[in-house]
Amino acid sequence: MKSITISGSQRESVGKVATKALRNAGKVPCVIYGGDKPLHFSADETSFKKLVYTANVYTATIELEGAKYHAILQDIQFHPVSDKILHVDFYQLFDDKMVTMNIPVRLVGTSPGVINGGSLSFAKRKLSVRALPVDLPDFINADISKLRIGHKLVVSQVADEKFSILHPENTVVVQVRTARSAVKTDDEEEGEEGEEGTTEVSEEEASE
């Protein structure tokens, strides 16, 4: 997984007055959990732009006074009016410890069912994954190139031996629903018999 670097300074005081002063100076108070004890620090608000305002997922390399800490974003608080970042929590990564993270799903290919007028329903844009840090993927591929009208991909069909997906195997990731404008070709009719790598959806289920 790709990583971004955040340079910060350790915080000697974590009281309300010190926190307010940091924010007024354009800095964000942060804490890293997961180690021997919580580590408090601050960093420029601009440092979080790529980590927060993106659909991609990154780990973070946090540099504090010569030391480096590898972590993932655990929680973030925004101002209710201005949307400025108020506080960020990180969870420290260790090479030998499993970690849980939400990973985006990337659609691959073109669905013949959509070409014929079906409606693509992208039910799970992110999946919760558990793995060692080295095995965390940037994204999970969902190949829709064989999805015909009434077919779907479930979690078991996008699984990978390098990580565990923390959803039931039959959880729908993406499916092609029927639509009024849909046109069934001969190939589509054959597809309804069921194909390897796809799961059939009844008309009643597809219309839900």
Side-chain angles (χ1 to χ4, degrees):
M1 177 174 287
K2 297 177 182 177
S3 179
I4 67 169
T5 300
I6 296 174
S7 297
S9 302
Q10 286 189 242
R11 298 173 60 193
E12 296 181 0
S13 176
V14 295
K16 291 183 179 180
V17 175
T19 298
K20 184 176 180 180
L22 283 173
R23 290 172 180 154
N24 288 339
K27 295 184 179 296
V28 177
C30 309
V31 62
I32 304 175
Y33 295 105
D36 294 333
K37 60 181 180 179
L39 180 61
H40 298 271
F41 72 99
S42 65
D44 291 335
E45 186 175 4
T46 54
S47 301
F48 300 93
K49 183 177 181 180
K50 191 172 183 180
L51 182 66
V52 176
Y53 305 107
T54 176
N56 299 322
V57 177
Y58 300 91
T59 59
T61 299
I62 300 168
E63 296 182 344
L64 301 176
E65 301 170 9
K68 291 184 179 181
Y69 302 87
H70 300 288
I72 58 172
L73 181 66
Q74 187 175 46
D75 189 35
I76 185 167
Q77 297 175 22
F78 294 95
H79 190 281
V81 177
S82 66
D83 278 340
K84 290 188 65 174
I85 299 173
L86 296 179
H87 193 275
V88 179
D89 290 348
F90 290 93
Y91 187 81
Q92 189 172 353
L93 298 177
F94 297 93
D95 292 342
D96 59 346
K97 290 186 178 181
M98 304 283 277
V99 64
T100 300
M101 195 170 186
N102 290 327
I103 304 297
V105 176
R106 183 176 69 172
L107 300 184
V108 177
T110 301
S111 163
V114 172
I115 291 176
N116 289 323
S119 174
L120 188 71
S121 176
F122 198 176
K124 285 289 185 181
R125 295 178 181 271
K126 285 188 176 182
L127 292 172
S128 183
V129 164
R130 186 168 178 79
L132 291 173
V134 69
D135 291 327
L136 286 171
D138 292 313
F139 44 76
I140 297 172
N141 283 330
D143 186 356
I144 63 171
S145 61
K146 294 183 179 180
L147 287 190
R148 303 185 182 280
I149 294 174
H151 286 175
K152 61 185 177 182
L153 280 181
V154 296
V155 160
S156 62
Q157 294 170 288
V158 297
D160 191 294
E161 61 182 14
K162 291 184 178 180
F163 51 81
S164 299
I165 299 179
L166 305 181
H167 300 270
E169 290 188 348
N170 62 350
T171 299
V172 176
V173 177
V174 59
Q175 63 182 320
V176 180
R177 297 176 180 272
T178 57
R180 291 182 180 180
S181 59
V183 177
K184 291 186 178 181
T185 65
D186 290 339
D187 287 340
E188 290 281 26
E189 296 291 349
E190 292 177 5
E192 291 181 354
E193 299 288 333
E195 293 185 358
E196 182 179 356
T198 61
T199 305
E200 189 174 357
V201 183
S202 67
E203 291 187 2
E204 179 180 352
E205 181 180 358
S207 63
E208 291 179 353

